[in-house]
Amino acid sequence: MNTTGRPGRTGLWLIGARGSVATTAVSGLVALRHGLVEATGCVTELPEFSACPLPTWDEIVVGGHDIVNTCLPKKAELLADAGLLPHRLLPSIEPGLAAVDAEIRAGHDPVSHRGAQADAARRLADDLTEFAERHALDRVVVVNVSSTEAPVTLLPEHQDAAALTAALTDPQRAPLPPSSLSAYAALLAGCPYVDFTPSTGMRLPALRELAAERGLPYAGSDGKTGETLLRTALAPMFTTRALRVRSWAGTNLLGGGDGATLADPRSAASKLESKSGVLSSLLGEDVTAPLHIDNVPDLGDVKTAWDHVSFEGFLGARMTMQVTWTGYDSALAAPLVLDLARLTAAAHADGRSGPLGALAFFFKDPDGNREHGLGEQYRQLLSWVDELGEPTRGEGETR
Amino acid sequence: MNTTGRPGRTGLWLIGARGSVATTAVSGLVALRHGLVEATGCVTELPEFSACPLPTWDEIVVGGHDIVNTCLPKKAELLADAGLLPHRLLPSIEPGLAAVDAEIRAGHDPVSHRGAQADAARRLADDLTEFAERHALDRVVVVNVSSTEAPVTLLPEHQDAAALTAALTDPQRAPLPPSSLSAYAALLAGCPYVDFTPSTGMRLPALRELAAERGLPYAGSDGKTGETLLRTALAPMFTTRALRVRSWAGTNLLGGGDGATLADPRSAASKLESKSGVLSSLLGEDVTAPLHIDNVPDLGDVKTAWDHVSFEGFLGARMTMQVTWTGYDSALAAPLVLDLARLTAAAHADGRSGPLGALAFFFKDPDGNREHGLGEQYRQLLSWVDELGEPTRGEGETR
Amino acid sequence: MNTTGRPGRTGLWLIGARGSVATTAVSGLVALRHGLVEATGCVTELPEFSACPLPTWDEIVVGGHDIVNTCLPKKAELLADAGLLPHRLLPSIEPGLAAVDAEIRAGHDPVSHRGAQADAARRLADDLTEFAERHALDRVVVVNVSSTEAPVTLLPEHQDAAALTAALTDPQRAPLPPSSLSAYAALLAGCPYVDFTPSTGMRLPALRELAAERGLPYAGSDGKTGETLLRTALAPMFTTRALRVRSWAGTNLLGGGDGATLADPRSAASKLESKSGVLSSLLGEDVTAPLHIDNVPDLGDVKTAWDHVSFEGFLGARMTMQVTWTGYDSALAAPLVLDLARLTAAAHADGRSGPLGALAFFFKDPDGNREHGLGEQYRQLLSWVDELGEPTRGEGETR
Amino acid sequence: MNTTGRPGRTGLWLIGARGSVATTAVSGLVALRHGLVEATGCVTELPEFSACPLPTWDEIVVGGHDIVNTCLPKKAELLADAGLLPHRLLPSIEPGLAAVDAEIRAGHDPVSHRGAQADAARRLADDLTEFAERHALDRVVVVNVSSTEAPVTLLPEHQDAAALTAALTDPQRAPLPPSSLSAYAALLAGCPYVDFTPSTGMRLPALRELAAERGLPYAGSDGKTGETLLRTALAPMFTTRALRVRSWAGTNLLGGGDGATLADPRSAASKLESKSGVLSSLLGEDVTAPLHIDNVPDLGDVKTAWDHVSFEGFLGARMTMQVTWTGYDSALAAPLVLDLARLTAAAHADGRSGPLGALAFFFKDPDGNREHGLGEQYRQLLSWVDELGEPTRGEGETR
Ligand SMILES: NC(=O)c1ccc[n+]([C@@H]2O[C@H](COP(=O)([O-])OP(=O)(O)OC[C@H]3O[C@@H](n4cnc5c(N)ncnc54)[C@H](O)[C@@H]3O)[C@@H](O)[C@H]2O)c1
Ligand SMILES: NC(=O)c1ccc[n+]([C@@H]2O[C@H](COP(=O)([O-])OP(=O)(O)OC[C@H]3O[C@@H](n4cnc5c(N)ncnc54)[C@H](O)[C@@H]3O)[C@@H](O)[C@H]2O)c1
Ligand SMILES: NC(=O)c1ccc[n+]([C@@H]2O[C@H](COP(=O)([O-])OP(=O)(O)OC[C@H]3O[C@@H](n4cnc5c(N)ncnc54)[C@H](O)[C@@H]3O)[C@@H](O)[C@H]2O)c1
Ligand SMILES: NC(=O)c1ccc[n+]([C@@H]2O[C@H](COP(=O)([O-])OP(=O)(O)OC[C@H]3O[C@@H](n4cnc5c(N)ncnc54)[C@H](O)[C@@H]3O)[C@@H](O)[C@H]2O)c1
Ligand code: NA
Ligand code: NA
């Protein structure tokens, strides 16, 4: 694969390719290619990004892994019934969806897998390589949009690439959670990796070491699309106005596949952890911040979040703010998946490696960046984009 | 008066000195001087401002004009009953309030005034000069926190300083609304002027001309404390995420003096005008934006605002956000009055003149600056503050 | 027409038959007849009504007047796109909608009409009679679901049936607003009349006199479906708990046909009037109650209402409640239109005449009943239903 | 004690007499006696109750048990700072509060108690008897407003009065939770008992048996003051309109003593249990109903509840309602404590015994009544009140 200059023909390989976020992203990409819709929600289509060397919609080819079989055209129909896609689009995008569906391969299912994880990883990496060759792609960006996993306990072999490689060959063991196995497979195939979920993914020292060795960039984690997006837009209002936030309580109601997954407290733990760093980082440690995620199946793909903020002003005056956010989660996430694929492809083409901290704008728990304020993250993104492709530049993470 | 270097002993002259905002500001100032409270809500007390040459709380001396007679200690008691000040502070701040009360002079009452406005302006200006002399002040900043006026129709004599000066001498005419008469008096006395209300104030070409002639800085208008503060924090979230806002409806419920004033549709017109520019400036023209201000006397000084935002995301998905803000309006406004007095004093000491666009962060309808986004306004403020007092610097409005 | 015993074959004649409410009602009726949906939202399908002699879905035949030409199947498609009907129903209900469409006649258009209103009324009445004959109906209930009109000024000829009859023959005059002309035509044709809108309809002394003469029942006015429904459910909570409501502010955002109509302040005046009686009747006169209706086209058929209630408890403690209601207005209204058709047919079959106060449960501004509390209205409805068809009973309005 | 006719001089004995609810109730009673406030929030002061034989404010004498020592005048001051009482009342009610304070005795502290529970119960009962004698009271109503306990496991000796009496004499055992020990002491002293908390109290078969033997009435449990009050007012709106509620999610934020107690998951379990029966009873079993109680200390005595209701209407249209309730919990509870004391005294005077199901209107989890709908509960209360003191009447629980 070519790694410099313009990103060129770009593969987008989705882990969880038959899920809601993935199907919405693919439906939108197909519709955008045909000029059927506007690119609402795509950050990289803002005028500020027009000079940036990004793959066009036509240059992006999609494939992926999943462990279920509902075909994409069928899944798109279900999403239309749920209000996520307009029914009128279905006939025109059906062929494009079917074409992507033909590029979906069986994912790694930890429940049914027998044998060493090294073999599983090799098989996943081969899928990537064959996909790249089949479509003559300049590069393939792997994006994880599969179900959220439980947090993992750090093992000694997570700390060190050599130890990990050894442990993976043992057929009695399964040292990596599925998200990290996918990340590892991406590294084997020389692909940049983006984690849109709060799962472990690339966040193990051994994997970071391998990524550095291979000069591959990666980004994550956990797409910032609803309540957390709001919080990172609002919290700086309080701090720059010197108002003292005393408590910030949140309740999230959601159904759909993600709701069902998060109904399991172990998966919810990952999500709650990824969400909770935000407030203490922006407002300090002494804010009471209860946070709930409830599975409410009848809401389907609609996510409703209620936040209640209690704050103190001049002379101790007690005031409150409440926000209710009602969003289609996948409609908020899908365009960001396309944005991340484009920007990560551009970073790879530009020879960047390691965590792309400048993409913090897109994530609840940004890898390689401690900034959580949305406005500041956007400024950092713009200045990183301005530098992309410039002939000479300094080094360092967020630049 | 000395106009360079550190601001030194600074007068704060409040038009509307017996109103809610004024009384809260003065109560807080007295309590801060005595170390009885924290400076919550005071932007200029944030660490980012520590290097800025600002008058200390002890260096600020307060006086003002009003047309009612309720003494400040009494008014403070009423505000404590309304929940704006803690009762426990009252005994300790009573002497300080009484001292300020002794510095309040009769304001210009347009209803009872007989004679030429030139004489009225001269009398108001004399009050300022005597105040400065009485307390050996380095400068006096005039801040308008009096009742909101109706918008005015532009007259020919508003366009030109000479024509205005002539018109003011005619005892049959009253070409200036009270806020502009106060601004004019401030100019006569060589004082910088801040308009915390949406009234006309300095926004007449003839007055701007005079300010430029005298090298005086001014700032305005309409303190940004509630719904508009929120809007300017939130709107950039939508635009930087490429989400399309379709409608942004608002309802404001408030009682108190401001509620009663705004129950008059002519006064409300000023406020609605000053609020409404914000959304179209941040989001473009095609956003449906009904906006109401209702006088609900039983709410007293609590202002409740409800905003309902309808927006469109990827593939046309329709989503909403609602915010309810419940704030003590005067508790939000008062510390900003102190901030503005300090920053405007520093600008004056530094030799700035004309509209202080860098103070846009504080205003709904910023004079000398088109930026409405709160985050960006804050960055502009910080960079202006960094330059303050620097030996050499470039010229230009927002710098 | 037969007027005693079971209602039998019942015509439902809709004024405004191509509007949102009408189309939703007809779509639902057709789907109910085919057993395709549950009767959610139909009060008369609750077990409490099982003994009541009501026409079955199969016994109801629909026709109507309108002044636009969009055919019902087309309109149903638009409503499906707007989220009001499931797309999957469209193919199955299309024939039923087309059949109703064939029964729609040109309504009375006050803008284009030339000649005496007596002729117009005769023509409308003939449409009713022919409809009844064509389908061998036992009776026809006329339900007004056309656009809301402005309130009218009472004229002398509105007071007296003879004077009205005379005035109607004058081709230079148009003493009746369209809703009252429809009501008059219903009376001419011997049909009961229901006003689901806040328009004048039957509420003129001359028309009431004629209804009494002809022994016809009528009901109204203004279907209670959203904010007012909520208010009449909630206000009794405050009064029975001896809590003192101080203010109850409301804002309604809606688009669609009704939104556009109510954007005209004259039409809105009718709606605001019909809504505003409710609170003072339930809570007394001294409640501050600002109320707004805003046309927000992008919301389409979704109506969002925000209510803010400020109340006082023990020892003067100040508390608040806020409610946001987000409903599909027509989905709330349509089943009530079917309920009202059934109940009014039953009343007619039972020989009732005059205002049907016992139907207050369905209306914002109930004719013939001062009770506004929802719970109490429901009890009155149930006890009226229990008496329906009983051999002997006392007389009087609400019984 | 006299048990027929008018209730006469009535003791109100509060378990938890120094808590927020108790102190607010006593402050209000003193202020009402002096005519300093209106009886807002007192149901028994509504005109509908004027014919009912209730003790007057002057006839009510208060005492109680608690395990802390903060005196009532001090506690009232703290409540005033928290916004629950107006500061201006404090001086006038101080003597009355001090008088009640002198009637507070050491409660039963399960942590420090040594010895058999029979002795503890005897001591508590003696306090009641001496109180009645000291003040020549006609009867004493015991009301439990102490901290919420964890739910208990049913033991064999809870089933049977004889077994319980035996178990209580064993110094090694503590078969009763404190609330039930108080209830038992009330029975020993011949006093009616009201449980305003969700604790076990009288709800053990052995205690019910004893109450029946002694002909004593009792009522409970868990005062209905906020979210649940709202729910029982709103749920009947959905059912009588045939709308199908799909989910009803709730979050409660509160601080204060009750917030701290409920931060312990075992105490919260009692409260969640008492709240959760309401929705399934009113709406059926298949409503998704996540419910949270969060301790947010900075909110103090303010309780904020957010409810999100998702419901289905005609043709499956999906709609939502949200409510935010912001109340001073103790201000809502205190007048009901007075109401319950009055009504229970009247019931006792009238010779009623067993659970007073007709008081369901006041409780989240009404003892002796399955009705949860607020409107219907109010009607039952009124008809029970009408019968009170009537010479002849039928028997049975709710009558
Ligand atoms: N706004 C958002 O929607 C948003 C925001 C941030 C993060 N996320 C995360 O994105 C992910 C996807 O969300 P969704 O709503 O599309 O969920 P979903 O349940 O609809 O889709 C997940 C898909 O992953 C597949 N999958 C599960 N395990 C797999 C494996 N081992 N290999 C390959 N595929 C596997 C599932 O079969 C399913 O098709 C979740 O982890 C979610 O937390 C979503
Ligand atoms: N958050 C906020 O409170 C906020 C925000 C932005 C702007 N403002 C503006 O600040 C102003 C003050 O608000 P407030 O709540 O203190 O109102 P207020 O009614 O309590 O006080 C206004 C004071 O101005 C005095 N006044 C009226 N006419 C005068 C005159 N001609 N000369 C001198 N004094 C005069 C009045 O007597 C009164 O004491 C209003 O214009 C308001 O719109 C307030
Ligand atoms: N929840 C609710 O939707 C609700 C509740 C209470 C009252 N209403 C009232 O019901 C009415 C209908 O609401 P909608 O949303 O269906 O409105 P709509 O605008 O969709 O439909 C009104 C229909 O009336 C027709 N019309 C206008 N003038 C006419 C005339 N002179 N003769 C015959 N037809 C005429 C129009 O062409 C249109 O088809 C409105 O008056 C509304 O205020 C609705
Ligand atoms: N709206 C309401 O406030 C409301 C509604 C329903 C139920 N309740 C219940 O009322 C009770 C009181 O609420 P609060 O806000 O006053 O709480 P609180 O914590 O302020 O008061 C409880 C009091 O009980 C005392 N206490 C604890 N254990 C005791 C014992 N063994 N014997 C005697 N006293 C004891 C405590 O010392 C304290 O003074 C709680 O159980 C609460 O759940 C309150
Ligand atoms: Na304001
Ligand atoms: Na309506």
Side-chain angles (χ1 to χ4, degrees), chain C residues 21 24-25 41 145 196 223-225 328-340, chain D residues 314:
Chain C
V21 172
T24 310
V145 285
F196 202 79
K224 177 158 89 170
T225 53
Y328 283 101
D329 240 20
S330 302
L332 292 160
L336 305 184
V337 167
L338 300 181
D339 287 327
L340 286 163
Chain D
F314 203 49

PDB file of all heavy atoms in Angstrom, chain C residues 21 24-25 41 145 196 223-225 328-340, chain D residues 314:
ATOM      1  N   VAL C  21     -56.564  15.602  10.344  1.00  0.00           N
ATOM      2  CA  VAL C  21     -57.366  14.862  11.309  1.00  0.00           C
ATOM      3  C   VAL C  21     -58.310  13.917  10.584  1.00  0.00           C
ATOM      4  O   VAL C  21     -58.410  12.726  10.904  1.00  0.00           O
ATOM      5  CB  VAL C  21     -58.149  15.831  12.227  1.00  0.00           C
ATOM      6  CG1 VAL C  21     -59.139  15.065  13.092  1.00  0.00           C
ATOM      7  CG2 VAL C  21     -57.192  16.645  13.101  1.00  0.00           C
ATOM      8  N   THR C  24     -56.499  10.956   8.920  1.00  0.00           N
ATOM      9  CA  THR C  24     -56.045   9.990   9.923  1.00  0.00           C
ATOM     10  C   THR C  24     -57.227   9.183  10.458  1.00  0.00           C
ATOM     11  O   THR C  24     -57.132   7.960  10.630  1.00  0.00           O
ATOM     12  CB  THR C  24     -55.326  10.713  11.074  1.00  0.00           C
ATOM     13  OG1 THR C  24     -54.337  11.597  10.528  1.00  0.00           O
ATOM     14  CG2 THR C  24     -54.645   9.729  12.010  1.00  0.00           C
ATOM     15  N   ALA C  25     -58.332   9.861  10.703  1.00  0.00           N
ATOM     16  CA  ALA C  25     -59.517   9.159  11.207  1.00  0.00           C
ATOM     17  C   ALA C  25     -59.998   8.121  10.193  1.00  0.00           C
ATOM     18  O   ALA C  25     -60.289   6.974  10.546  1.00  0.00           O
ATOM     19  CB  ALA C  25     -60.628  10.163  11.523  1.00  0.00           C
ATOM     20  N   GLY C  41     -56.249   4.528  21.524  1.00  0.00           N
ATOM     21  CA  GLY C  41     -56.716   5.899  21.462  1.00  0.00           C
ATOM     22  C   GLY C  41     -58.222   6.033  21.305  1.00  0.00           C
ATOM     23  O   GLY C  41     -58.753   7.138  21.420  1.00  0.00           O
ATOM     24  N   VAL C 145     -64.153  19.203  11.186  1.00  0.00           N
ATOM     25  CA  VAL C 145     -62.705  19.155  11.402  1.00  0.00           C
ATOM     26  C   VAL C 145     -62.020  20.026  10.353  1.00  0.00           C
ATOM     27  O   VAL C 145     -60.924  19.715   9.881  1.00  0.00           O
ATOM     28  CB  VAL C 145     -62.148  17.714  11.361  1.00  0.00           C
ATOM     29  CG1 VAL C 145     -62.504  16.967  12.625  1.00  0.00           C
ATOM     30  CG2 VAL C 145     -62.642  16.960  10.130  1.00  0.00           C
ATOM     31  N   PHE C 196     -65.465  19.821  16.370  1.00  0.00           N
ATOM     32  CA  PHE C 196     -64.160  19.443  16.903  1.00  0.00           C
ATOM     33  C   PHE C 196     -63.197  20.620  16.867  1.00  0.00           C
ATOM     34  O   PHE C 196     -62.072  20.524  17.337  1.00  0.00           O
ATOM     35  CB  PHE C 196     -63.601  18.270  16.072  1.00  0.00           C
ATOM     36  CG  PHE C 196     -62.570  17.476  16.809  1.00  0.00           C
ATOM     37  CD1 PHE C 196     -62.960  16.534  17.761  1.00  0.00           C
ATOM     38  CD2 PHE C 196     -61.213  17.669  16.589  1.00  0.00           C
ATOM     39  CE1 PHE C 196     -62.003  15.813  18.472  1.00  0.00           C
ATOM     40  CE2 PHE C 196     -60.258  16.947  17.297  1.00  0.00           C
ATOM     41  CZ  PHE C 196     -60.655  16.022  18.248  1.00  0.00           C
ATOM     42  N   GLY C 223     -61.660  19.841  20.137  1.00  0.00           N
ATOM     43  CA  GLY C 223     -61.137  18.577  20.682  1.00  0.00           C
ATOM     44  C   GLY C 223     -59.996  18.817  21.662  1.00  0.00           C
ATOM     45  O   GLY C 223     -59.111  19.626  21.402  1.00  0.00           O
ATOM     46  N   LYS C 224     -60.042  18.102  22.760  1.00  0.00           N
ATOM     47  CA  LYS C 224     -59.019  18.271  23.816  1.00  0.00           C
ATOM     48  C   LYS C 224     -57.994  17.169  23.655  1.00  0.00           C
ATOM     49  O   LYS C 224     -58.239  16.031  24.028  1.00  0.00           O
ATOM     50  CB  LYS C 224     -59.743  18.201  25.158  1.00  0.00           C
ATOM     51  CG  LYS C 224     -58.874  18.275  26.370  1.00  0.00           C
ATOM     52  CD  LYS C 224     -59.658  18.736  27.604  1.00  0.00           C
ATOM     53  CE  LYS C 224     -60.306  17.616  28.383  1.00  0.00           C
ATOM     54  NZ  LYS C 224     -60.857  18.065  29.679  1.00  0.00           N
ATOM     55  N   THR C 225     -56.828  17.510  23.086  1.00  0.00           N
ATOM     56  CA  THR C 225     -55.904  16.453  22.707  1.00  0.00           C
ATOM     57  C   THR C 225     -54.484  16.608  23.229  1.00  0.00           C
ATOM     58  O   THR C 225     -53.737  15.645  23.204  1.00  0.00           O
ATOM     59  CB  THR C 225     -55.778  16.384  21.167  1.00  0.00           C
ATOM     60  OG1 THR C 225     -55.447  17.696  20.716  1.00  0.00           O
ATOM     61  CG2 THR C 225     -57.043  15.896  20.534  1.00  0.00           C
ATOM     62  N   TYR C 328     -48.304  13.645  18.187  1.00  0.00           N
ATOM     63  CA  TYR C 328     -48.838  13.820  16.849  1.00  0.00           C
ATOM     64  C   TYR C 328     -50.275  14.245  17.021  1.00  0.00           C
ATOM     65  O   TYR C 328     -51.137  13.446  17.405  1.00  0.00           O
ATOM     66  CB  TYR C 328     -48.775  12.509  16.068  1.00  0.00           C
ATOM     67  CG  TYR C 328     -47.404  12.182  15.575  1.00  0.00           C
ATOM     68  CD1 TYR C 328     -46.619  11.259  16.231  1.00  0.00           C
ATOM     69  CD2 TYR C 328     -46.899  12.811  14.438  1.00  0.00           C
ATOM     70  CE1 TYR C 328     -45.343  10.959  15.763  1.00  0.00           C
ATOM     71  CE2 TYR C 328     -45.626  12.522  13.974  1.00  0.00           C
ATOM     72  CZ  TYR C 328     -44.856  11.591  14.634  1.00  0.00           C
ATOM     73  OH  TYR C 328     -43.598  11.302  14.178  1.00  0.00           O
ATOM     74  N   ASP C 329     -50.525  15.495  16.750  1.00  0.00           N
ATOM     75  CA  ASP C 329     -51.837  16.048  17.010  1.00  0.00           C
ATOM     76  C   ASP C 329     -52.963  15.256  16.361  1.00  0.00           C
ATOM     77  O   ASP C 329     -53.977  14.967  16.987  1.00  0.00           O
ATOM     78  CB  ASP C 329     -51.866  17.490  16.495  1.00  0.00           C
ATOM     79  CG  ASP C 329     -52.168  18.429  17.626  1.00  0.00           C
ATOM     80  OD1 ASP C 329     -51.967  18.039  18.789  1.00  0.00           O
ATOM     81  OD2 ASP C 329     -52.610  19.551  17.347  1.00  0.00           O
ATOM     82  N   SER C 330     -52.760  14.885  15.121  1.00  0.00           N
ATOM     83  CA  SER C 330     -53.849  14.215  14.416  1.00  0.00           C
ATOM     84  C   SER C 330     -54.043  12.798  14.933  1.00  0.00           C
ATOM     85  O   SER C 330     -55.157  12.274  14.901  1.00  0.00           O
ATOM     86  CB  SER C 330     -53.587  14.192  12.909  1.00  0.00           C
ATOM     87  OG  SER C 330     -53.424  15.514  12.441  1.00  0.00           O
ATOM     88  N   ALA C 331     -52.983  12.174  15.408  1.00  0.00           N
ATOM     89  CA  ALA C 331     -53.128  10.825  15.967  1.00  0.00           C
ATOM     90  C   ALA C 331     -53.905  10.880  17.275  1.00  0.00           C
ATOM     91  O   ALA C 331     -54.559   9.908  17.655  1.00  0.00           O
ATOM     92  CB  ALA C 331     -51.757  10.203  16.200  1.00  0.00           C
ATOM     93  N   LEU C 332     -53.825  11.978  17.953  1.00  0.00           N
ATOM     94  CA  LEU C 332     -54.596  12.130  19.183  1.00  0.00           C
ATOM     95  C   LEU C 332     -56.041  12.481  18.877  1.00  0.00           C
ATOM     96  O   LEU C 332     -56.964  12.058  19.581  1.00  0.00           O
ATOM     97  CB  LEU C 332     -53.952  13.205  20.063  1.00  0.00           C
ATOM     98  CG  LEU C 332     -52.586  12.770  20.617  1.00  0.00           C
ATOM     99  CD1 LEU C 332     -51.772  13.977  21.062  1.00  0.00           C
ATOM    100  CD2 LEU C 332     -52.772  11.796  21.777  1.00  0.00           C
ATOM    101  N   ALA C 333     -56.234  13.268  17.825  1.00  0.00           N
ATOM    102  CA  ALA C 333     -57.578  13.743  17.500  1.00  0.00           C
ATOM    103  C   ALA C 333     -58.419  12.692  16.786  1.00  0.00           C
ATOM    104  O   ALA C 333     -59.617  12.547  17.064  1.00  0.00           O
ATOM    105  CB  ALA C 333     -57.468  14.998  16.625  1.00  0.00           C
ATOM    106  N   ALA C 334     -57.797  11.950  15.860  1.00  0.00           N
ATOM    107  CA  ALA C 334     -58.582  11.091  14.971  1.00  0.00           C
ATOM    108  C   ALA C 334     -59.453  10.072  15.705  1.00  0.00           C
ATOM    109  O   ALA C 334     -60.640   9.931  15.380  1.00  0.00           O
ATOM    110  CB  ALA C 334     -57.642  10.396  13.978  1.00  0.00           C
ATOM    111  N   PRO C 335     -58.920   9.354  16.703  1.00  0.00           N
ATOM    112  CA  PRO C 335     -59.799   8.363  17.338  1.00  0.00           C
ATOM    113  C   PRO C 335     -60.952   9.024  18.085  1.00  0.00           C
ATOM    114  O   PRO C 335     -62.036   8.448  18.189  1.00  0.00           O
ATOM    115  CB  PRO C 335     -58.859   7.612  18.297  1.00  0.00           C
ATOM    116  CG  PRO C 335     -57.689   8.525  18.505  1.00  0.00           C
ATOM    117  CD  PRO C 335     -57.545   9.290  17.227  1.00  0.00           C
ATOM    118  N   LEU C 336     -60.735  10.250  18.552  1.00  0.00           N
ATOM    119  CA  LEU C 336     -61.821  10.952  19.243  1.00  0.00           C
ATOM    120  C   LEU C 336     -62.929  11.322  18.262  1.00  0.00           C
ATOM    121  O   LEU C 336     -64.115  11.366  18.626  1.00  0.00           O
ATOM    122  CB  LEU C 336     -61.298  12.214  19.937  1.00  0.00           C
ATOM    123  CG  LEU C 336     -60.130  12.026  20.912  1.00  0.00           C
ATOM    124  CD1 LEU C 336     -59.807  13.362  21.584  1.00  0.00           C
ATOM    125  CD2 LEU C 336     -60.444  10.965  21.958  1.00  0.00           C
ATOM    126  N   VAL C 337     -62.543  11.599  17.021  1.00  0.00           N
ATOM    127  CA  VAL C 337     -63.552  11.898  16.001  1.00  0.00           C
ATOM    128  C   VAL C 337     -64.448  10.665  15.816  1.00  0.00           C
ATOM    129  O   VAL C 337     -65.675  10.783  15.750  1.00  0.00           O
ATOM    130  CB  VAL C 337     -62.864  12.314  14.682  1.00  0.00           C
ATOM    131  CG1 VAL C 337     -63.849  12.312  13.524  1.00  0.00           C
ATOM    132  CG2 VAL C 337     -62.225  13.699  14.847  1.00  0.00           C
ATOM    133  N   LEU C 338     -63.820   9.496  15.791  1.00  0.00           N
ATOM    134  CA  LEU C 338     -64.630   8.268  15.669  1.00  0.00           C
ATOM    135  C   LEU C 338     -65.482   8.059  16.924  1.00  0.00           C
ATOM    136  O   LEU C 338     -66.662   7.713  16.842  1.00  0.00           O
ATOM    137  CB  LEU C 338     -63.709   7.062  15.443  1.00  0.00           C
ATOM    138  CG  LEU C 338     -62.822   7.120  14.182  1.00  0.00           C
ATOM    139  CD1 LEU C 338     -61.975   5.857  14.067  1.00  0.00           C
ATOM    140  CD2 LEU C 338     -63.664   7.316  12.913  1.00  0.00           C
ATOM    141  N   ASP C 339     -64.891   8.296  18.100  1.00  0.00           N
ATOM    142  CA  ASP C 339     -65.657   8.167  19.341  1.00  0.00           C
ATOM    143  C   ASP C 339     -66.873   9.094  19.342  1.00  0.00           C
ATOM    144  O   ASP C 339     -67.977   8.697  19.727  1.00  0.00           O
ATOM    145  CB  ASP C 339     -64.777   8.557  20.550  1.00  0.00           C
ATOM    146  CG  ASP C 339     -63.724   7.514  20.898  1.00  0.00           C
ATOM    147  OD1 ASP C 339     -63.980   6.307  20.705  1.00  0.00           O
ATOM    148  OD2 ASP C 339     -62.638   7.909  21.373  1.00  0.00           O
ATOM    149  N   LEU C 340     -66.632  10.341  18.946  1.00  0.00           N
ATOM    150  CA  LEU C 340     -67.713  11.324  18.977  1.00  0.00           C
ATOM    151  C   LEU C 340     -68.809  10.965  17.974  1.00  0.00           C
ATOM    152  O   LEU C 340     -70.004  11.160  18.244  1.00  0.00           O
ATOM    153  CB  LEU C 340     -67.154  12.721  18.710  1.00  0.00           C
ATOM    154  CG  LEU C 340     -66.389  13.301  19.896  1.00  0.00           C
ATOM    155  CD1 LEU C 340     -65.518  14.483  19.456  1.00  0.00           C
ATOM    156  CD2 LEU C 340     -67.366  13.750  20.987  1.00  0.00           C
TER     157      LEU C 340
ATOM    158  N   PHE D 314     -53.142   6.273  18.283  1.00  0.00           N
ATOM    159  CA  PHE D 314     -53.836   5.726  17.113  1.00  0.00           C
ATOM    160  C   PHE D 314     -52.835   5.321  16.046  1.00  0.00           C
ATOM    161  O   PHE D 314     -51.886   6.060  15.759  1.00  0.00           O
ATOM    162  CB  PHE D 314     -54.753   6.837  16.597  1.00  0.00           C
ATOM    163  CG  PHE D 314     -55.919   6.370  15.777  1.00  0.00           C
ATOM    164  CD1 PHE D 314     -56.737   5.340  16.211  1.00  0.00           C
ATOM    165  CD2 PHE D 314     -56.216   6.987  14.564  1.00  0.00           C
ATOM    166  CE1 PHE D 314     -57.838   4.937  15.451  1.00  0.00           C
ATOM    167  CE2 PHE D 314     -57.308   6.595  13.801  1.00  0.00           C
ATOM    168  CZ  PHE D 314     -58.120   5.568  14.245  1.00  0.00           C
TER     169      PHE D 314
END
